């Protein structure tokens, strides 16, 4: 084997290993970032109202729990972006009297989380199994938006949203924790 050829092989092996490492790194960081976002969500307002009921896509999460890691990451990205879209609405948050600085930090954390996960997604070979959950999650967040509009962005409506978002973040964290155990 010529020397240049050998070096090419070594480089290819090295780059392959490196990209695998970065694809898994999100798992190590996920817990920390998730904890940070849950803390900000709690601190942006007072106590959670435990008797608030709100729509939650439990079936979708049950499916995602059993899905392949790549589909889980795609599901996370989708969900995080929907949460950002829902909560990036400070002009309608007056009645909730939330701490808008914390809301801003919260959104920044989710944005960072989402971009990091997207870096993994671009490395995935297989195409997205779209229909299975993209439509379901979209419909769920449309329901949440409707609650806000129907209740004219009342404090109670925002509390419902905060509870739903908390459930999302907690369920995603459980999935990330379980997936971590697989490796
Ligand atoms: C999800 O799975 C759990 C445990 O397996 C079960 O108790 C729950 O009813 C399921 N939720 C839905 C909405 O299917
Ligand atoms: C809102 O949060 C910021 C950042 O944590 C904090 O500095 C500020 O004191 C809080 N404002 C209120 C009114 O609690
Ligand atoms: C996930 O794991 C971390 C660290 O191991 C732990 O602190 C956290 O409570 C776990 N989260 C859930 C929702 O089980």
């Amino acid at each position: 084997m010529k020397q240049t050829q050998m070096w090419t092989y070594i480089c290819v092996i090295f780059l392959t290993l490196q990209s695998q490492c970065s694809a898994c790194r999100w798992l190590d960081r996920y817990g920390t970032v998730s904890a940070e976002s849950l803390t900000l969500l709690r601190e942006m307002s007072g106590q959670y109202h435990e008797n608030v009921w709100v729509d939650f896509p439990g079936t979708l999460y049950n499916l995602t729990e059993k899905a392949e890691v790549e589909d889980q990451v795609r599901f996370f990205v989708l969900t995080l972006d929907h949460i950002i879209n829902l909560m990036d609405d400070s002009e309608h948050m007056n009645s909730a009297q939330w701490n808008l600085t914390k809301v801003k930090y919260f959104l920044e954390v989710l944005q960072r989380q989402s971009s990091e996960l997207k870096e993994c997604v671009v490395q995935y070979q297989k195409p997205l199994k779209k229909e299975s959950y993209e439509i379901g999650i979209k419909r769920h967040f449309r329901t949440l938006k409707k609650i806000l509009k129907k209740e004219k962005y009342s404090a109670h409506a925002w509390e419902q949203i905060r509870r739903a978002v908390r459930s999302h973040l907690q369920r995603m964290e459980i999935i990330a924790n379980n997936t971590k155990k697989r490796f």
Side-chain angles (χ1 to χ4, degrees):
M1 197 191 299
K2 278 197 223 120
Q3 193 148 20
T4 48
Q5 214 175 3
M6 190 185 77
W7 278 110
T8 309
Y9 284 129
I10 289 174
C11 276
V12 168
I13 289 166
F14 179 74
L15 288 173
T16 309
L17 287 175
Q18 203 181 33
S19 75
Q20 270 169 359
C21 291
S22 69
C24 292
R25 212 164 41 202
W26 72 272
L27 266 179
D28 288 329
R29 288 186 30 78
Y30 196 90
T32 320
V33 183
S34 175
E36 200 182 335
S37 61
L38 276 163
T39 302
L40 285 164
L41 186 69
R42 178 164 41 77
E43 289 177 349
M44 69 177 65
S45 179
Q47 294 283 329
Y48 286 106
H49 301 218
E50 293 304 331
N51 54 354
V52 170
W53 183 87
V54 70
D55 185 64
F56 192 75
T59 315
L60 268 180
Y61 273 93
N62 280 5
L63 285 173
T64 305
E65 238 146 46
K66 298 188 200 94
E68 286 176 38
V69 179
E70 301 194 350
D71 281 330
Q72 290 177 336
V73 174
R74 289 192 176 103
F75 177 82
F76 286 7
V77 168
L78 214 57
T79 305
L80 288 170
D81 286 351
H82 275 298
I83 295 173
I84 293 166
N85 183 269
L86 188 68
M87 301 270 293
D88 191 5
D89 197 8
S90 57
E91 65 265 39
H92 287 123
M93 281 177 182
N94 293 335
S95 60
Q97 294 195 311
W98 288 352
N99 182 331
L100 295 181
T101 311
K102 298 224 191 233
V103 175
K104 186 168 142 264
Y105 292 160
F106 173 77
L107 291 170
E108 282 168 6
V109 171
L110 292 198
Q111 200 79 60
R112 205 170 68 222
Q113 184 86 308
S114 166
S115 342
E116 279 179 16
L117 295 178
K118 275 174 192 152
E119 281 174 28
C120 298
V121 171
V122 294
Q123 295 175 12
Y124 295 160
Q125 314 287 334
K126 274 192 286 177
L128 170 69
K129 281 190 213 127
K130 220 175 180 139
E131 316 73 46
S132 50
Y133 48 77
E134 198 170 323
I135 295 168
I137 202 81
K138 207 179 208 170
R139 189 182 302 138
H140 163 73
F141 278 94
R142 204 185 299 135
T143 306
L144 296 185
K145 268 223 154 94
K146 269 191 205 147
I147 292 173
L148 281 174
K149 282 196 186 132
K150 199 166 146 226
E151 297 191 26
K152 300 200 170 53
Y153 301 92
S154 69
H156 176 257
W158 277 114
E159 252 344 286
Q160 283 175 283
I161 300 304
R162 196 161 73 110
R163 279 303 302 275
V165 168
R166 182 179 76 161
S167 302
H168 280 291
L169 296 177
Q170 286 173 336
R171 282 299 292 268
M172 286 194 279
E173 192 177 309
I174 291 169
I175 292 175
N177 276 3
N178 289 338
T179 300
K180 210 167 171 174
K181 288 187 208 132
R182 283 201 235 159
F183 290 97

